[in-house]
Amino acid sequence: AKARGLRHLWLTRTNAGDEGAAALATALAANHVLEALDMWECGISGAGAEAIAVALKGRHDGLRTLELRGNAMGDRGARAFAALLPTNKPLSTLDLLNTGVSAEGRALLREGLRKAASLPYMVLFEDAIGPHQQRTSWEEKGQKNAP
C-alpha cells in the first residue's frame, strides 16, 4: 500500500516560533510521509530547532528536505543538527542560511556532515558549507544523483 498524506508543508513567514516548532516536532516524530518542511523566517530559536532535530534523530524514512533559513537558531540549533546528521538517513537537504551560527557551530556542522549517514546537501553559505563543497563530496563517492 502506498503511503498517503501531506508530502510538503510550507510554513514560511508564519511566525510559528518555538511553540510551533515544538508542535511540529511532536507531529514529525510520528509522521513518516512528509518529505519537505519549509519554515523560512518563522521566529524559531535554538530551542525550536533542537526540538525538530531531536524528533528526526535516528529516522530511516520520512523528511528529506528541511529549510530553516532566516531563523535565529544559533549554535544551539547547529549543535542539535550536527548530532542529527550521523543518525538520519533520509535527510538530503538542510538549509540553514542566515541562522546566526558562529564559527564554532559551523565546525560542529562540518563534523556532523563528515559522519553523516546520507551526506546531505547543506546550505550554509556563511562559511563554505554549501552546495559546491558538498556536491564535490558526492561526486568523489561516485554517486550519480548529487543535487
Side-chain angles (χ1 to χ4, degrees):
K2 190 173 183 178
R4 302 179 102 190
L6 185 66
R7 299 226 182 248
H8 188 143
L9 185 57
W10 188 16
L11 298 172
T12 297
R13 297 186 178 126
T14 58
N15 295 320
D18 290 336
E19 186 176 320
L24 274 168
T26 300
L28 284 172
N31 181 299
H32 297 268
V33 177
L34 189 68
E35 294 177 356
L37 176 59
D38 294 334
M39 295 189 76
W40 288 20
E41 300 173 8
C42 286
I44 298 170
S45 75
E50 184 177 51
I52 292 170
V54 167
L56 296 174
K57 199 165 185 181
R59 294 284 293 270
H60 297 284
D61 63 356
L63 201 66
R64 298 184 190 312
T65 300
L66 178 59
E67 300 194 19
L68 294 173
R69 180 181 296 213
N71 289 291
M73 66 173 220
D75 288 349
R76 181 174 177 182
R79 193 172 300 108
F81 285 109
L84 166 70
L85 292 170
T87 70
N88 183 288
K89 290 186 185 259
L91 189 64
S92 60
T93 301
L94 180 59
D95 183 341
L96 302 177
L97 181 65
N98 296 324
T99 53
V101 176
S102 74
E104 180 184 339
R106 292 189 297 271
L108 291 169
L109 286 166
R110 273 196 292 284
E111 183 63 19
L113 273 174
R114 191 181 68 73
K115 297 176 182 177
S118 63
L119 290 177
Y121 177 80
M122 181 177 287
V123 179
L124 182 65
F125 288 108
E126 289 96 339
D127 187 37
I129 297 176
H132 301 295
Q133 179 180 347
Q134 201 54 38
R135 184 168 294 140
T136 299
S137 178
W138 251 298
E139 290 167 356
E140 287 172 1
K141 294 195 180 293
Q143 295 182 11
K144 296 185 190 316
N145 294 326

